[in-house]
Amino acid sequence: MNDFIAARSQMALSLGFHIVFSCIGMVMPFFMAVAHFYWLRTNDVVYRNITKAWSKGVAIFFATGAVSGTVLSFELGLLWPEFMKHAGPIFGMPFSLEGTAFFIEAIALGFFLYGWGRFNRWFHWFTGVVVGVSGLVSGILVVAANAWMNSPAGFDYVNGQYLNIDPIKAMFNDAWFSQALHMCIAAFAATGFAVAGIHALMILKKKNIRFHTQSFRIAAVFACIAALLQPLSGDISAKDVSKRQPAKLAAMEAHFHTEAAAPLILGGVPDEEAKEVKYAIKLPGMLSFMVHSNFETPVNGLDKIPEADHPPVAITHYAFQVMVGIGMLLLLISVCYFIAIWKKRSWMQQAWFLRAFVLATPMGFIAVEAGWTVTEVGRQPWIINGIMRTADAVTPMPGIAYSFYIFTAVYISLSLIVTFLLYRQIRMVGKLYDVSPSA
């Protein structure tokens, strides 16, 4: 493994690890706040117990996310010094504001965790809401920084110089809204299905039924609403990508040749040498319709883009197919859930229905990882789209491969530790959070 591949692999590993914790950190506090609100309004002890149980999970993920996020910040400077030399003054504002949001989130979480019985009941609830809002803002700001890499703005690039820098324009670049919207909805869907799936499993095992049933319902509502909205945000994102990053769109769809009535490709195995897709299902005109709202308008293929600027087609295409396929599966489960609420209440207690949510437990996060693969791999060979190539930004320091191996071991260890802590927390729920009045 050469140093360039090692640097990219280490960054991918760090981001892939951190994104799970950042999604949960953005979303779980809202679940917690809803349960806490029900406790304050009804005095039903089960909601208090749900709030306390979830708050422990929030604390675990917050601590791990803080560590992995700090590592990512250092890696930007250590692995990509040429990138930070030029990009830092331009897109540094969202990172500095994200630090402020993180600071507020940490203080609010401390108030919430240690505020039971010490604060006014509604002020205590409000601190939990602040944890969620600040976490969500933090995530949006980081996505805005990433969006700038896909849609550079806020400067003039003249003769290799970055002039007339405008950090506000850089932060609110053309891609920030579509990416932030898609990421936030994805975070709610992934976290919601993961939490709902765990509680569905506990219901199937007949453990602390009422506790897990109420927990399941709160998480499932968030998850299913998000899953229904996700295709809409995906459509907005795809149309945006088609305008700013036609090479990425072409790689996503394995669209090698420019043509009118361009087909939408489902599945298939891209052959980059032969410039074709084998074993695919093609829906004539659908790609043209999705991009241009017209079945006949041509869609630019990779033949319109210089060979040196082509992203890795196979990886981008497979990741996109995984993301969309899982999105459709979660959409189907969500439709079934709302049918169950409105028409088929008996489904809520049936094993097949709960098993569907158990099956979906990891699916949302697999889709999130696939989506970020599309975002990052689909932008290659650029680290700043159309301005700076990734190969020109990497550190000249040797031995990056060893750093990658060390970080891989560290992240595997952290994953095992977090898994153990969560497993122990779930097992203890039945003992610590019973629903008797004396609890």
Side-chain angles (χ1 to χ4, degrees):
M1 179 183 292
N2 63 43
D3 288 336
F4 176 59
I5 296 299
R8 286 188 60 190
S9 299
Q10 183 173 323
M11 200 73 193
L13 175 70
S14 300
L15 180 60
F17 182 86
H18 176 69
I19 197 170
V20 173
F21 300 102
S22 61
C23 285
I24 296 171
M26 289 164 60
V27 173
M28 273 297 292
F30 289 103
F31 297 0
M32 185 179 72
V34 169
H36 196 181
F37 178 80
Y38 283 149
W39 154 242
L40 294 177
R41 288 296 301 270
T42 66
N43 284 322
D44 187 339
V45 72
V46 73
Y47 291 115
R48 183 202 65 184
N49 294 341
I50 292 170
T51 306
K52 287 190 172 185
W54 279 348
S55 69
K56 289 181 170 61
V58 169
I60 292 170
F61 285 111
F62 178 84
T64 313
V67 173
S68 58
T70 302
V71 169
L72 271 172
S73 299
F74 283 116
E75 285 179 340
L76 281 172
L78 293 172
L79 299 178
W80 313 102
E82 194 64 22
F83 167 69
M84 291 304 295
K85 173 184 174 182
H86 299 290
I90 304 171
F91 81 149
M93 178 172 283
F95 277 126
S96 63
L97 293 175
E98 191 273 338
T100 303
F102 175 78
F103 181 67
I104 294 171
E105 182 183 7
I107 293 173
L109 182 58
F111 280 177
F112 186 83
L113 292 175
Y114 298 103
W116 288 96
R118 295 178 176 87
F119 295 142
N120 173 276
R121 284 156 54 93
W122 286 101
F123 176 78
H124 184 219
W125 170 80
F126 177 72
T127 62
V129 174
V130 171
V131 174
V133 171
S134 55
L136 191 63
V137 170
S138 179
I140 290 172
L141 289 167
V142 170
V143 171
N146 178 267
W148 178 85
M149 297 164 69
N150 294 315
S151 180
F155 66 97
D156 295 323
Y157 187 65
V158 181
N159 297 324
Q161 300 293 314
Y162 298 77
L163 307 173
N164 302 321
I165 292 172
D166 183 347
I168 299 295
K169 188 175 180 181
M171 184 166 65
F172 295 108
N173 57 79
D174 291 341
W176 85 270
F177 176 76
S178 60
Q179 278 196 215
L181 178 66
H182 198 57
M183 185 65 239
C184 289
I185 295 176
F188 274 94
T191 305
F193 275 105
V195 175
I198 291 170
H199 290 292
L201 180 61
M202 294 298 105
I203 296 170
L204 286 170
K205 290 185 174 183
K206 302 188 182 305
K207 299 201 175 167
N208 208 346
I209 297 292
R210 186 157 182 265
F211 174 94
H212 289 294
T213 297
Q214 299 307 108
S215 301
F216 169 81
R217 289 176 178 173
I218 293 171
V221 167
F222 276 101
C224 294
I225 291 175
L228 292 175
L229 294 176
Q230 191 69 303
L232 301 177
S233 72
D235 181 64
I236 293 171
S237 295
K239 284 182 168 59
D240 183 60
V241 167
S242 71
K243 296 174 184 176
R244 295 180 296 94
Q245 295 177 286
K248 179 184 285 187
L249 178 73
M252 288 160 56
E253 294 292 343
H255 184 56
F256 289 101
H257 304 288
T258 302
E259 58 183 310
L264 181 68
I265 294 176
L266 303 179
V269 178
D271 185 336
E272 296 184 55
E273 293 292 330
K275 310 295 184 189
E276 63 179 6
V277 185
K278 300 175 182 177
Y279 318 116
I281 299 172
K282 297 184 178 182
L283 306 179
M286 285 303 298
L287 183 59
S288 292
F289 178 77
M290 292 177 71
V291 172
H292 300 294
S293 300
N294 185 296
F295 287 101
E296 298 298 327
T297 305
V299 176
N300 288 336
L302 288 166
D303 58 347
K304 291 287 187 180
I305 297 157
E307 191 88 21
D309 296 341
H310 285 192
V313 176
I315 295 174
T316 308
H317 177 70
Y318 293 143
F320 181 68
Q321 295 292 307
V322 168
M323 179 184 71
V324 173
I326 290 176
M328 292 299 101
L329 174 62
L330 298 184
L331 178 65
L332 176 62
I333 294 174
S334 301
V335 170
C336 290
Y337 180 77
F338 287 114
I339 291 174
I341 289 177
W342 291 324
K343 297 289 185 181
K344 300 285 186 177
R345 283 281 180 178
S346 60
W347 287 5
M348 301 288 282
Q349 284 79 42
Q350 293 186 16
W352 69 265
F353 183 80
L354 294 170
R355 287 194 184 108
F357 278 89
V358 174
L359 175 67
T361 300
M363 293 297 181
F365 286 114
I366 295 172
V368 167
E369 299 286 4
W372 273 99
T373 300
V374 172
T375 299
E376 297 303 300
V377 176
R379 189 180 59 245
Q380 301 307 312
W382 306 100
I383 192 168
I384 306 175
N385 188 44
I387 303 292
M388 179 185 288
R389 291 181 181 271
T390 309
D392 296 331
V394 72
T395 179
M397 182 178 69
I400 299 300
Y402 298 106
S403 174
F404 168 65
Y405 299 142
I406 292 170
F407 272 84
T408 299
V410 169
Y411 283 131
I412 290 173
S413 300
L414 280 174
S415 298
L416 293 174
I417 292 169
V418 171
T419 301
F420 168 74
L421 290 173
L422 290 176
Y423 176 73
R424 189 178 70 169
Q425 175 64 21
I426 292 168
R427 283 180 60 87
M428 290 174 64
V429 160
K431 298 177 181 178
L432 296 179
Y433 299 110
D434 63 74
V435 295
S436 63
S438 59

